[in-house]
Amino acid sequence: MPQVTELVWVPLKSNEDRNAAKRQLASVRDQHLSQPGLVASYKGYVLSGPNAVEFANVWESEEAYNASHESQVGEGFKSLADSSPHQAKHRAVVLDGALETLATARVVQVTTVTPSQSVHKAGFSSQVPRFPKAHTTLQGWTAENNQHPSASSKSSKPASFTVLTAYGDLDDYFQAAAATNSQLGALGDVEAHVTVFEKM
């Protein structure tokens, strides 16, 4: 059974809120890291776009990922997301490699492509452009259950394709973005940001 990588992007109002988020994370860290089925966990600070924090949790299976949302720790993360001035973005992805290979890189670009039309999933990845100067690239489709724990059970999200790309520095990222953004845009709706992760 494949691992599931959970990515949660939480925009904040100010640096003051970032400090509050750090305190909230510290209060649940030990409980979070002891959850059954958690393989690895990372926190990160977003360098592009709104002031935000991002979490990356690797679960041994989709069942472990789903169970985590019913726990007290899951509720703690949910309250942090709900306190945001903007809607948090949450996705669960089955990647084609281990997140550990890039999560400690200096710069990680997180790109999500929602295809503009029905696609053959197996062939879609071959259409994604190569990212010049990237150290490592992981990619994959959203997991079957891709709901934020606060979402209505009746709501649904279209399948999206996530690409995580590691760079040595911001200059490499900017060069790659200039070369690939238009190609990605031809595949569907694109959201992208840059995060520096560290292990929790």
Side-chain angles (χ1 to χ4, degrees):
M1 189 171 292
Q3 292 183 344
V4 171
T5 298
E6 175 187 22
L7 298 168
V8 187
W9 179 88
V10 184
L12 305 171
K13 288 181 181 178
S14 64
N15 287 332
E16 206 170 292
D17 285 338
R18 177 175 288 193
N19 292 333
K22 285 182 179 179
R23 290 192 296 272
Q24 189 163 349
L25 281 175
S27 70
V28 299
R29 178 184 179 278
D30 290 343
Q31 287 178 288
H32 170 63
L33 294 178
S34 65
Q35 288 186 97
L38 182 66
V39 177
S41 186
Y42 302 87
K43 63 182 177 181
Y45 299 105
V46 179
L47 301 182
S48 59
N51 188 20
V53 293
E54 186 163 23
F55 311 106
N57 299 315
V58 182
W59 301 95
E60 66 182 13
S61 66
E62 194 165 345
E63 286 72 19
Y65 158 70
N66 292 335
S68 72
H69 291 158
E70 306 301 324
S71 69
Q72 183 178 358
V73 181
E75 287 299 311
F77 277 95
K78 177 179 174 293
S79 66
L80 176 60
D82 289 346
S83 67
S84 168
H86 305 289
Q87 184 175 3
K89 296 176 183 177
H90 181 278
R91 65 183 68 85
V93 186
V94 178
L95 294 171
D96 62 357
L99 184 68
E100 288 85 345
T101 61
L102 59 73
T104 54
R106 291 192 63 190
V107 177
V108 176
Q109 179 182 359
V110 182
T111 306
T112 301
V113 181
T114 303
S116 51
Q117 57 188 358
S118 296
V119 296
H120 188 264
K121 287 187 176 181
F124 185 82
S125 61
S126 64
Q127 302 177 51
V128 175
R130 292 184 178 276
F131 292 77
K133 294 185 176 290
H135 291 182
T136 310
T137 298
L138 300 177
Q139 56 190 20
W141 290 95
T142 49
E144 183 177 340
N145 178 10
N146 188 40
Q147 296 293 348
H148 185 278
S150 63
S152 164
S153 60
K154 295 181 180 179
S155 66
S156 61
K157 294 181 180 180
S160 60
F161 192 77
T162 296
V163 183
L164 304 178
T165 314
Y167 297 99
D169 54 42
L170 281 173
D171 286 341
D172 287 349
Y173 156 70
F174 286 128
Q175 290 181 45
T180 57
N181 280 354
S182 61
Q183 297 175 63
L184 287 169
L187 299 177
D189 295 329
V190 177
E191 292 183 7
H193 60 271
V194 178
T195 300
V196 177
F197 284 106
E198 61 185 23
K199 207 156 191 174
M200 284 189 65

